[in-house]
Amino acid sequence: MEAQSIGSMIKILSETIGQKVNKNCKEFNLTMQQMKILHFLRMREGEKEASQKEIQNFMRISHPTVVNILRLMKEKGFIETSTSHEDKRMKIVRLTGKEDKFVKDVISEREEMEKQLVKGLTQKDQENLRWYLKKMYENLTEAS
């Protein structure tokens, strides 16, 4: 793997993480993106709801993509949507509670995967890695 470019190595790592997470989510009939949205909604300081736009920004995905993902999640009974009382153009997304049974387990699995990812790295190494990844992201997005 040493002969590959950094970009290729990041892509391989990302795909490997995605495969592992999707395998874990399969038993709940969810994708990694859907699970990420559930986690986002649960971690919002007890609010358990967000605007569609907030989810779109958090996920860094397009409007049509977030609409499709949320539609599928709604069909599966994990979320419900409504129109904001303050701004009728804004769609509010709220958890139904169906996720309560398994989200804690999935979050625990995610934390274990994170530990596995950084195994053998010191705290300083991890801080440096985060800084490098953030810097690479900024380098790519500043040109856009």
Side-chain angles (χ1 to χ4, degrees):
M1 204 151 141
E2 285 86 24
Q4 295 195 6
S5 70
I6 290 172
S8 294
M9 292 172 72
I10 291 171
K11 177 137 177 65
I12 290 167
L13 180 60
S14 175
E15 289 173 349
T16 303
I17 290 169
Q19 289 169 355
K20 285 184 174 284
V21 172
N22 281 332
K23 183 181 173 190
N24 292 341
C25 295
K26 195 172 193 170
E27 68 181 281
F28 308 113
N29 194 25
L30 290 167
T31 65
M32 183 169 74
Q33 286 187 318
Q34 291 169 341
M35 191 59 75
K36 201 171 174 184
I37 291 170
L38 289 178
H39 185 259
F40 172 73
L41 290 170
R42 285 189 62 103
M43 296 300 128
R44 292 179 47 85
E45 300 175 19
E47 293 177 41
K48 297 207 179 183
E49 71 177 39
S51 72
Q52 181 175 301
K53 185 70 174 173
E54 288 172 315
I55 293 169
Q56 180 180 330
N57 292 340
F58 170 75
M59 297 290 291
R60 293 186 173 108
I61 55 179
S62 69
H63 176 76
T65 301
V66 79
V67 167
N68 189 47
I69 292 170
L70 294 176
R71 179 185 56 78
L72 292 171
M73 290 177 72
K74 187 174 181 179
E75 287 174 7
K76 294 174 184 180
F78 290 106
I79 62 165
E80 50 191 34
T81 60
S82 60
T83 305
S84 168
H85 298 295
E86 294 84 34
D87 183 349
K88 299 295 182 197
R89 299 169 297 172
M90 185 185 304
K91 187 176 275 190
I92 301 299
V93 179
R94 186 173 298 104
L95 293 172
T96 62
K98 182 177 178 180
E99 81 292 344
D100 283 342
K101 298 173 189 146
F102 63 84
V103 165
K104 289 177 187 166
D105 291 337
V106 172
I107 290 170
S108 177
E109 287 174 16
R110 180 178 178 219
E111 290 168 354
E112 283 302 312
M113 183 182 294
E114 181 81 12
K115 286 178 189 173
Q116 189 177 1
L117 270 171
V118 299
K119 186 170 74 178
L121 300 179
T122 66
Q123 190 64 37
K124 184 66 175 164
D125 290 340
Q126 293 175 44
E127 289 169 16
N128 287 340
L129 177 59
R130 280 187 182 85
W131 187 89
Y132 292 135
L133 292 170
K134 183 179 176 205
K135 182 65 177 159
M136 290 189 310
Y137 176 77
E138 289 169 356
N139 289 344
L140 287 178
T141 57
E142 74 184 14
S144 301

